[in-house]
Amino acid sequence: MYKIERPVYDEAFIRLQLNRKEKSTTLRQRLSHQFRCSSEKAKAAALNFLPILTWLPSYPVKKYLFSDVVSGVSTGVVQLPQGLAYAMLAAVPPVYGLYSSFYPLLIYIFFGTSRHVSIGTFAVISLMIGGVVVREAPDSMFYIQPTNGTNATAFVDEEARDARRVSVAVMLTTLVGIIQIVLGLLRFGFVAIYLTEPLVRGFTTAASMHVFVSQLKYLLGVKTQRFSGPLSVIYSVKAVFSDITSTNITSLIVGLVCLIFLYVVKDINERFKKKLPIPIPGEIIVVIVSTGISYGMSLSTDYKVDVVGKIPTGLLPPAVPEFSLLPSLVTDSFAVAVVGFSIDISLAKIFALKYGYSVDGNQELIALGLCNFISSFFRTFAITCSMSRSLVQESTGGKTQIAGLVVSLVVLVVVVAIGFVFQPLPQTVLAAIIMVNLVGMFKQFRDIPTLWRTSKIELAIWLVAFVASVLLGLEYGLLVAVTFAILTVIYRTQSPKTAVLGHVSDTGLYCDVDEYEEAAEYEGIKIFCSNSSIYFANSDLYVNTLKEKTGVNPEHIQAAWKAQRKRKVYKKEEGVTHEVLPCNPVVEEQKNGELGDKASETDIFIEPLSTVHSIILDWTSANFIDSVGAKAIKQIIKEYTAVNVHVVIASCSRTLLEQLDTLQFFTGIITTDMVFPTVHDAVLHCQHRNSHQPNNLTVASRMVQHPCCIPVFVSVS
């Protein structure tokens, strides 16, 4: 138990007692301090820009090196088939997936802040790139009419098409890198907060649907056009099933066998992950075995099974992207940049929280931007971190990005020395690898019943992100989802929860009288609480709800008062008598309110309309107020004052008070002594004011302490 006795505080008294610290520095001084160079600031800047300097000098070789090497090799054998497979999603030749699995890893080691994420190709980003590439370089641009006959069927110049598509993907990646670097330098790492978790999960689930549908034609071995844009999923499914009679049975059998094998291996790895020293590398096993079978049985020539084809040996020299493609790619690059960063930072934060270190969102933006920008000169497409590979890297003992270095070396060996070995690899095998890796994303459908029970607004965000992305395409779907998520925030502030509070006896608590039996209202006082700020979008709603909840409507009281004043007054010869008139029916509907006839010179006395003499606005939850909101509050206070209802404000933060001062809120009849630091201060003030109000028509039924003391008894046990 503890007891506090102090005077009732209001804002006028507090401002007399508290002295604000004067800001001794000018803007010029602050700017000079910010840009002043010193050895400490230079060192801090270097460490921020090159996070590798924070951990590499103290790297415990004996403790970490073996684990990082094992983890790197394990992740590398997963990276190889995924790089080949995701290049198909990006609509570029498979070897460019290997390039995208090599260069970005080397760069991220120096600039990234996460120790566990595996950077490289990722299904969602690859699919977004593929949609742009197919739109800018469709097959229809490269049809060649045979010269040996007019009735011959036109065919696609695949070499020219692939070269054009690579140029588009590379230029898009360059733009993505520039955008991410600029956003990072401008400290815009917070943009990821607008991609809330339900939005990202709904969006990635929709992306997995796009990926799955896009791989059906490779699994079945049918030749269909690749679609992009709105309704592309529907068009793709229709095209596959329209041509299903031409299914290559050999391709289907090989794909289904690989699909079943990979799913079983994935399930075993998940079930026995604590017992297995390293996960079973099902993907590399499938790639090696299927490549050997394809080569030995000549699946490409004898059974018409589509294979990966030519994989050049060695690395390509750097080249400048085609900047002439830039104008048509700007919008798409923003979408890819934001989605890529969001996926990376969300996974990086999970690992950082688990292992007790921090990641910097702004530096992650810069790191991803440099990975994309620099690598694009070596013919790569946009990358981010991969959830499946990151989990492999972490579960196999990876401690730092040295594991990422080992992964890049594994990829380098394949690209430089043995890439040609994978030329007979059937494309249906890559489709099976992609489909099995979507299992984790499809499990996100389990979010729906969970969100239904916990938050229906977040469920709506999830569903809108999913449906919009499936039907409209990933770019438009993301835009619709983000817009809808922002609208839900506006909706929540426009439709806040409001309550009339009551005091819980022997405590300092004030709770909703409709929810808690122990909460009781003070006689003649209404305490109104709203859990949102007050601004242009909800100020009218705030005022209307205030009148409805308290039951005191100044307009109705004014109307009733004017109606009563028009009644005749009867006088007798012996003196003046006054007719006490009943309340107007309009007013009888009101539960609270009090009318003082100050404006009359006064031959008329009326019955009290209700017992409410004071209204307290609890602004505990208000974070800000704008000029429209301030004007609305000033107006309603004036209206209540006109009908003799006293309005005060309680629990207003210092920041909000500064905003009110800036808006010149405290002018005229509204003064700082109407603002109180707590609801209890305001209650005692209203009780004392009413008990000492001259010519008051109502009397409080309970005795209160002198206003100079506030007793608070709180049990701490």
Side-chain angles (χ1 to χ4, degrees):
M1 299 287 292
Y2 67 86
K3 180 179 180 181
I4 299 175
E5 289 192 6
R6 63 169 176 79
V8 172
Y9 292 157
D10 58 36
E11 182 60 22
F13 175 80
I14 291 175
R15 294 190 179 191
L16 290 174
Q17 300 299 317
L18 298 181
N19 296 319
R20 294 179 64 89
K21 292 182 178 180
E22 295 183 1
K23 296 181 180 180
S24 57
T25 57
T26 63
L27 176 62
R28 180 178 179 181
Q29 290 173 326
R30 290 196 297 271
L31 290 175
S32 63
H33 175 75
Q34 186 69 26
F35 293 102
R36 184 173 52 193
C37 185
S38 64
S39 58
E40 292 80 7
K41 293 189 72 173
K43 181 180 179 181
L47 293 177
N48 286 334
F49 188 66
L50 288 170
I52 189 174
L53 299 178
T54 62
W55 58 267
L56 186 61
S58 58
Y59 181 78
V61 176
K62 293 182 180 180
K63 186 177 179 181
Y64 284 176
L65 184 60
F66 180 75
S67 297
D68 279 340
V69 171
V70 172
S71 175
V73 173
S74 302
T75 309
V77 298
V78 177
Q79 181 92 294
L80 286 172
Q82 286 191 1
L84 294 169
Y86 293 157
M88 292 170 55
L89 289 178
V92 295
V95 69
Y96 292 94
L98 296 180
Y99 298 155
S100 301
S101 301
F102 170 65
Y103 291 107
L105 275 168
L106 290 177
I107 298 169
Y108 186 84
I109 292 169
F110 293 92
F111 299 100
T113 59
S114 175
R115 303 174 190 173
H116 294 89
V117 298
S118 177
I119 295 296
T121 56
F122 184 58
V124 175
I125 299 299
S126 299
L127 184 67
M128 295 178 72
I129 295 169
V132 178
V133 166
V134 171
R135 185 193 71 208
E136 296 297 322
D139 289 342
S140 58
M141 288 179 60
F142 303 96
Y143 279 125
I144 297 177
Q145 196 70 33
T147 57
N148 58 355
T150 57
N151 294 326
T153 304
F155 64 93
V156 176
D157 185 352
E158 294 186 357
E159 185 175 349
R161 181 200 64 185
D162 289 345
R164 178 69 174 181
R165 288 182 172 181
V166 168
S167 298
V168 173
V170 168
M171 187 63 242
L172 179 67
T173 303
T174 304
L175 274 177
V176 169
I178 292 173
I179 290 170
Q180 289 176 331
I181 292 171
V182 171
L183 290 177
L185 293 175
L186 295 177
R187 323 307 289 173
F188 267 45
F190 67 87
V191 296
I193 65 176
Y194 292 102
L195 298 181
T196 178
E197 184 179 358
L199 186 152
V200 172
R201 293 176 72 86
F203 175 79
T204 52
T205 306
S208 67
M209 294 290 293
H210 281 274
V211 173
F212 184 85
V213 169
S214 71
Q215 296 308 296
L216 286 176
K217 67 176 185 178
Y218 298 108
L219 183 69
L220 299 175
V222 298
K223 305 288 186 181
T224 63
Q225 178 184 352
R226 180 165 178 170
F227 299 91
S228 63
L231 303 180
S232 60
V233 168
I234 296 175
Y235 295 143
S236 298
V237 172
K238 180 181 177 181
V240 169
F241 283 98
S242 297
D243 200 28
I244 199 169
T245 54
S246 61
T247 298
N248 187 311
I249 302 301
T250 305
S251 178
L252 178 60
I253 293 173
V254 171
L256 288 177
V257 170
C258 293
L259 196 69
I260 295 170
F261 175 79
L262 288 170
Y263 183 81
V264 171
V265 170
K266 194 176 186 70
D267 188 62
I268 292 173
N269 286 336
E270 183 66 26
R271 289 176 181 269
F272 303 101
K273 60 183 178 181
K274 293 183 179 180
K275 297 181 180 180
L276 294 172
I278 60 172
I280 301 173
E283 293 170 336
I284 198 67
I285 292 174
V286 163
V287 167
I288 293 174
V289 172
S290 60
T291 301
I293 293 174
S294 175
Y295 179 76
M297 298 180 64
S298 301
L299 294 182
S300 176
T301 55
D302 296 345
Y303 297 93
K304 307 302 179 184
V305 174
D306 293 327
V307 296
V308 167
K310 184 179 179 181
I311 297 180
T313 301
L315 299 172
L316 297 177
V320 178
E322 293 185 27
F323 283 91
S324 59
L325 299 169
L326 187 148
S328 60
L329 302 177
V330 174
T331 304
D332 302 292
S333 60
F334 268 101
V336 175
V338 173
V339 172
F341 169 65
S342 177
I343 294 170
D344 171 75
I345 195 63
S346 59
L347 198 58
K349 285 183 176 179
I350 291 174
F351 287 123
L353 184 64
K354 183 176 180 179
Y355 290 98
Y357 63 92
S358 61
V359 291
D360 184 351
N362 295 308
Q363 182 59 31
E364 281 295 297
L365 261 176
I366 294 174
L368 286 178
L370 290 172
C371 288
N372 284 315
F373 179 73
I374 297 175
S375 300
S376 67
F377 289 87
F378 297 90
R379 297 293 189 272
T380 66
F381 54 85
I383 51 84
T384 185
C385 71
S386 165
M387 181 178 295
S388 59
R389 292 197 307 273
S390 297
L391 291 175
V392 169
Q393 182 169 314
E394 183 252 352
S395 63
T396 52
K399 305 296 184 183
T400 66
Q401 284 299 331
I402 294 296
L405 176 62
V406 176
V407 173
S408 65
L409 294 177
V410 171
V411 176
L412 179 63
V413 169
V414 173
V415 172
V416 173
I418 60 174
F420 65 92
V421 172
F422 297 106
Q423 291 179 169
L425 176 63
Q427 291 185 0
T428 185
V429 175
L430 297 180
I433 292 173
I434 292 172
M435 288 179 170
V436 171
N437 277 298
L438 297 175
V439 171
M441 291 189 184
F442 283 133
K443 289 180 179 179
Q444 293 177 153
F445 280 111
R446 298 173 182 173
D447 294 347
I448 294 177
T450 302
L451 292 174
W452 174 262
R453 292 190 298 269
T454 57
S455 174
K456 291 181 174 58
I457 290 181
E458 289 188 320
L459 173 61
I461 294 174
W462 196 103
L463 292 174
V464 168
F466 175 78
V467 174
S469 299
V470 167
L471 296 180
L472 301 179
L474 297 182
E475 292 80 8
Y476 293 117
L478 179 63
L479 179 61
V480 170
V482 171
T483 303
F484 182 79
I486 295 174
L487 289 176
T488 61
V489 176
I490 298 174
Y491 168 76
R492 293 189 194 197
T493 59
Q494 281 190 302
S495 303
K497 182 178 179 182
T498 56
V500 172
L501 306 183
H503 181 247
V504 180
S505 181
D506 297 327
T507 72
L509 301 177
Y510 287 84
C511 301
D512 188 350
V513 295
D514 292 331
E515 290 190 16
Y516 299 95
E517 296 179 356
E518 294 81 4
E521 294 185 64
Y522 286 107
E523 186 172 354
I525 300 175
K526 290 288 183 179
I527 307 172
F528 178 74
C529 176
S530 175
N531 67 345
S532 76
S533 300
I534 306 168
Y535 66 113
F536 67 92
N538 70 354
S539 57
D540 288 341
L541 179 65
Y542 183 92
V543 170
N544 294 333
T545 308
L546 170 64
K547 295 175 183 178
E548 179 184 347
K549 281 283 188 178
T550 60
V552 184
N553 191 320
E555 296 174 358
H556 293 172
I557 296 176
Q558 287 278 18
W561 180 57
K562 291 178 180 178
Q564 290 185 14
R565 289 195 62 191
K566 292 179 180 179
R567 301 289 181 87
K568 294 181 179 179
V569 179
Y570 299 98
K571 297 183 179 181
K572 293 186 180 181
E573 294 180 1
E574 292 81 6
V576 179
T577 62
H578 309 279
E579 180 184 8
V580 179
L581 301 172
C583 295
N584 188 287
V586 176
V587 182
E588 288 179 346
E589 296 179 0
Q590 305 301 319
K591 297 179 180 179
N592 306 291
E594 175 185 287
L595 180 57
D597 190 9
K598 296 181 178 180
S600 174
E601 292 181 358
T602 208
D603 287 329
I604 300 174
F605 291 98
I606 64 173
E607 291 180 353
L609 299 178
S610 75
T611 59
V612 173
H613 53 77
S614 301
I615 294 177
I616 300 172
L617 305 180
D618 181 7
W619 282 6
T620 304
S621 301
N623 294 318
F624 69 91
I625 187 170
D626 67 359
S627 60
V628 177
K631 289 178 182 178
I633 297 300
K634 289 183 72 171
Q635 181 61 32
I636 195 62
I637 291 176
K638 291 177 181 178
E639 291 179 9
Y640 276 121
T641 301
V643 295
N644 202 30
V645 176
H646 184 53
V647 179
V648 297
I649 300 169
S651 299
C652 187
S653 68
R654 309 307 303 177
T655 303
L656 196 58
L657 283 168
E658 290 180 3
Q659 294 175 8
L660 293 175
D661 286 332
T662 303
L663 295 170
Q664 298 181 347
F665 181 77
F666 300 109
T667 57
I669 64 170
I670 302 174
T671 58
T672 53
D673 58 7
M674 297 171 63
V675 181
F676 297 87
T678 69
V679 173
H680 201 58
D681 282 286
V683 167
L684 292 180
H685 163 79
C686 293
Q687 289 178 327
H688 177 69
R689 180 182 182 277
N690 185 62
S691 63
H692 290 77
Q693 187 73 24
N695 301 321
N696 197 1
L697 297 180
T698 61
V699 179
S701 62
R702 67 178 66 184
M703 299 296 293
V704 298
Q705 291 193 12
H706 190 273
C708 65
C709 295
I710 296 181
V712 179
F713 300 96
V714 179
S715 173
V716 295
S717 60

